[in-house]
Amino acid sequence: MIEMKKRLVIGCMMVLLCTIVLGMTTFAAGAKTMKNKKWISGKGGVCQDEDNDGKKEALRLYDTQYYKIQIPKQGYIMVDVKQSPLPGWQEYLECNDPEEDDPDGLYVKLLNAKKKDLAGYRMEESNQKFSWAVKKGTYYLAVTGDVTYKLRYTFTPVPKVSKAGQTIEKAATIKKGTAIKNLLFDDNYQNYYKFQLNKKTKVVLVCDSKIIGGDYEEMTVQIWTKKGKDYRQVNTKGKILSKNSTYGFDVEGKKTITYTLPKGTYYLRTFALGSGYYTIK
């Protein structure tokens, strides 16, 4: 009896393992390979005339479609998405709900080689994009929606990045004129840098963020200092703020931020809920 139960358990495990392997094989085999900077087209469904009356009254949506991206080295990608209504969309609406107008649009997910979700974006505009810091390896775009679309990714290598701390206690020391170049990965969403001022100084931060996409697409920049045992933010005039302050500057593209700070030790923090590349000098 015990031997029979063992065989049953082993048999179930083998079936489960085969199902997982087959699922991954089907997923990989069904993915279309994308090339850097090259557009690829697709559509999320089709408007059909099911009762042969000459009108397209039905909408059949396709399953999720996968697109493979091969990354040769560390860097970041910028994914561009263009979309437009399906052929026959207006006719379909007239047969069902004339008051409706725009389709729901695309939902695009970025997956790693193991099919783990890294990010998901609702694409509601005709042209949108998002960025992501990547390491060497395979990634996938998973696309669903009720539109026709075009996708393109642009890969930019970033072989060397600036030293940074992931906590304020481990902040990397920088000096005047330092050019910071760094990536914010999904598992490392913040960087800290430490600098010393020997007298009251005007500090100018020249920022350029390539981070975009999602509901919170900007990178945020803050300056902190230590007061007693705590770390606290400061405003542009060097005033120490309350513990719960959310003071900071959102950076999308290029932006210059100016602080006037008294003598002391300060900490520059950069963080984002998205992912990508940025520079600060």
Side-chain angles (χ1 to χ4, degrees), residues 197-209:
L197 299 178
N198 297 321
K199 60 180 180 180
K200 186 176 181 179
T201 305
K202 181 180 180 181
V203 177
V204 180
L205 304 175
V206 181
C207 310
D208 187 2
S209 172

Side-chain angles (χ1 to χ4, degrees), residues 85-149:
L86 291 167
W89 179 258
Q90 282 303 126
E91 192 174 324
Y92 163 74
L93 289 181
E94 289 168 6
C95 294
N96 291 274
D97 192 350
E99 294 185 4
E100 288 292 327
D101 187 10
D102 296 327
D104 292 334
L106 286 182
Y107 187 68
V108 180
K109 291 196 297 184
L110 179 67
L111 316 176
N112 64 14
K114 296 180 179 179
K115 296 195 300 181
K116 177 186 175 184
D117 291 4
L118 299 177
Y121 301 96
R122 172 66 66 185
M123 300 289 175
E124 297 177 332
E125 299 175 11
S126 58
N127 293 285
Q128 282 184 255
K129 63 176 61 181
F130 66 88
S131 63
W132 204 259
V134 290
K135 297 176 182 178
K136 180 180 178 180
T138 302
Y139 297 83
Y140 294 91
L141 296 179
V143 182
T144 54
D146 57 356
V147 294
T148 60
Y149 57 85

Side-chain angles (χ1 to χ4, degrees), residues 184-197:
L184 287 175
F185 288 93
D186 60 316
D187 58 353
N188 174 23
Y189 68 95
Q190 61 183 355
N191 293 151
Y192 285 95
Y193 308 92
K194 178 180 178 181
F195 62 94
Q196 184 79 34
L197 299 178

Side-chain angles (χ1 to χ4, degrees), residues 3-72:
E3 186 63 30
M4 192 176 215
K5 285 184 177 178
K6 282 183 180 177
R7 288 178 183 176
L8 247 149
V9 170
I10 292 171
C12 290
M13 289 176 67
M14 289 300 293
V15 170
L16 178 61
L17 183 60
C18 287
T19 302
I20 293 170
V21 171
L22 283 170
M24 291 183 71
T25 303
T26 303
F27 166 81
K32 298 177 182 177
T33 300
M34 299 180 70
K35 293 183 179 180
N36 187 27
K37 299 181 182 179
K38 300 294 184 181
W39 289 98
I40 192 167
S41 300
K43 56 182 179 179
V46 61
C47 297
Q48 295 178 319
D49 177 9
E50 289 191 340
D51 56 9
N52 297 315
D53 65 349
K55 295 181 179 179
K56 295 179 179 179
E57 78 291 336
L59 172 63
R60 182 168 72 88
L61 295 177
Y62 296 154
D63 292 334
T64 300
Q65 297 177 72
Y66 296 94
Y67 299 89
K68 183 179 180 180
I69 296 174
Q70 200 67 45
I71 299 299

